[in-house]
Amino acid sequence: MLDDEDFLDPVFTAIADGASAHAAWAAALDEQIADYHSAADEYLRARSSDLADLRDRVLRTLHGGQSEALKIPDGAVICADDLPPSRFLEINWSRGGGLALLHGSPTSHVAMLARARGIPMIVQLRSVSPSAKPHEKPSEKPIAKPVAKPSAKTALLDGEGATLELDPTAEQVRLFEQRRDLHQKTRASARAILRRPPASWGGEKIRLLINIQRVEDLDHADAQYADGIGLMRTEFLLGGPMGLPDEETQYQAYDAVLRWAGKRPVTIRTFDAGGDKPVLGFTVAGEANPFLGVRGLRLCLARPEIFTVQLRALARAAVRGNLKVMFPMVTTPDELEAGRRLFVDAVGELQAEGVAAALPEVGIMVEVPAAALTIEQFNAPFFSIGSNDLAQYVTACDRTNGALASLIDPLHPAVLDLIKHIAASGKRAGASVSLCGDMAGDPRCIPALLACGLRELSVNPSALALVKQTIDALSDGGARV
């Protein structure tokens, strides 16, 4: 957008007429944001938060590059209309804190990032009468902006109970501390189970792997107990201030993850840019419906000059021997073969240059219903089910739209039928099948996933203990599906 002359012309015109740069920029963006926010289309309304993110990032640069993240106190509860992934990643969450959003969705990428880091978060925040009892439902009317009172000095955020209490009474604090202490004891009990023998169900071992975005995610205390890494989302390497990362930068990141894993398997997913993860200079701008547009492997095949750089970095890292590479958003076997040919070519070029390189196992992420229904036609040694997008496409519900959360239920029979079909097909073909979406970390979904035939689950490090505890409870005679 910043390369679009038509987009910038009104800004420079205002500056030429005497307005300051930051005032001209803010006025132009505020007008666009208002237009998007008032659009009849839900998707266009959701994009207003992207424009607000762009507005604020440019304003910070104009004011000397000082990031607002540096001004956020440790342990603060951040209240906002919405928050894009780039802003979430700018915030230092190492000392606690939480996030309360007026809009947003529990299946958005910000929610995924928060879960991965164990950050309490509430979306679709609604107002509750001060006189309401704890068991009463919140009203359907959103809280008027701003979400928090300017005078509020203390906030209690309960992610499990989905409540935000401002300037709480002594009794509210006491009850909150009771809930928090119980939660911490439950978590401690679950973490103790990680040191026990591997999880099993029905006499079969259940492999528990972890999902990561960055190398730093491996610092989580529970990560060491994982059976490997089931998903590394490489598109978050694209959001840095230096633009698209070069081959060496990518290689260092991949190699660090493989070294951490030792002999344990590591599955790295190639760039899944597009949809709600636009990348300047890479993704296609102006698509009417980017979730159904040029994203994932489709985008990488359309931009081989970018894709080949990643494949070369992965081929160099593959010499360690424990790497598997996964292509996202695959619809047809031809796409898989086209991506594999580029990979083979990258390996050959590196070896011709005298650089050590190897071709790892190449599989696909099964998230497109067309691929799920015809999974037998794909020649791959492994498959990983992306339950977030699979549920989105099967139910025809935008997973970033919080108003549709009740319809995009991953336990919908149609979703479970596809998961069972994929697992059965993989077993017949001798290909491993795992699931790396949010379903894998949701205790209510685990019995159904095991019943569908899955024996590999990949979850956020913060969910590892709870998932193992849930499986052990099922093995000890708990409810089965």
Side-chain angles (χ1 to χ4, degrees), residues 230-303:
L231 170 65
M232 179 181 180
R233 300 181 176 99
T234 60
E235 57 273 10
F236 289 97
L237 293 172
L238 301 172
M242 303 305 292
L244 298 176
D246 61 18
E247 179 184 320
E248 185 62 26
T249 299
Q250 293 188 56
Y251 165 73
Q252 293 295 339
Y254 306 148
D255 188 62
V257 172
L258 292 167
R259 282 189 282 109
W260 176 91
K263 295 182 179 181
R264 291 173 289 182
V266 173
T267 301
I268 296 180
R269 184 178 69 187
T270 55
F271 296 140
D272 188 21
D276 60 342
K277 295 172 286 186
V279 177
L280 186 65
F282 188 22
T283 51
V284 179
E287 288 186 303
N289 191 343
F291 274 115
L292 299 178
V294 184
R295 58 170 294 201
L297 184 60
R298 303 170 183 177
L299 175 63
C300 288
L301 293 176
R303 300 293 304 273

Side-chain angles (χ1 to χ4, degrees), residues 15 39 56 95 110 140 190 192 221 246 298 361 377 419 432 472:
I15 293 173
D56 295 343
R95 297 178 182 266
V110 169
E140 292 302 314
D246 61 18
R298 303 170 183 177
E361 288 188 352
Q377 299 179 17
I419 293 173
S432 63
D472 282 2

Side-chain angles (χ1 to χ4, degrees), residues 173-251:
V173 171
R174 186 185 68 81
L175 293 174
F176 178 87
E177 290 178 342
Q178 284 183 351
R179 297 196 304 273
R180 182 190 61 193
D181 291 346
L182 178 60
H183 173 76
Q184 291 175 343
K185 289 177 181 178
T186 301
R187 295 289 298 178
S189 174
R191 287 194 66 195
I193 209 171
L194 288 174
R195 292 184 284 273
R196 298 180 189 173
S200 64
W201 187 82
E204 296 183 83
K205 178 184 176 182
I206 308 300
R207 300 182 71 191
L208 298 180
L209 307 103
I210 54 173
N211 304 331
I212 64 170
Q213 279 75 235
R214 296 179 172 184
V215 178
E216 293 78 10
D217 293 344
L218 298 172
D219 294 336
H220 193 286
D222 293 351
Q224 61 182 307
Y225 299 105
D227 293 321
I229 296 172
L231 170 65
M232 179 181 180
R233 300 181 176 99
T234 60
E235 57 273 10
F236 289 97
L237 293 172
L238 301 172
M242 303 305 292
L244 298 176
D246 61 18
E247 179 184 320
E248 185 62 26
T249 299
Q250 293 188 56
Y251 165 73

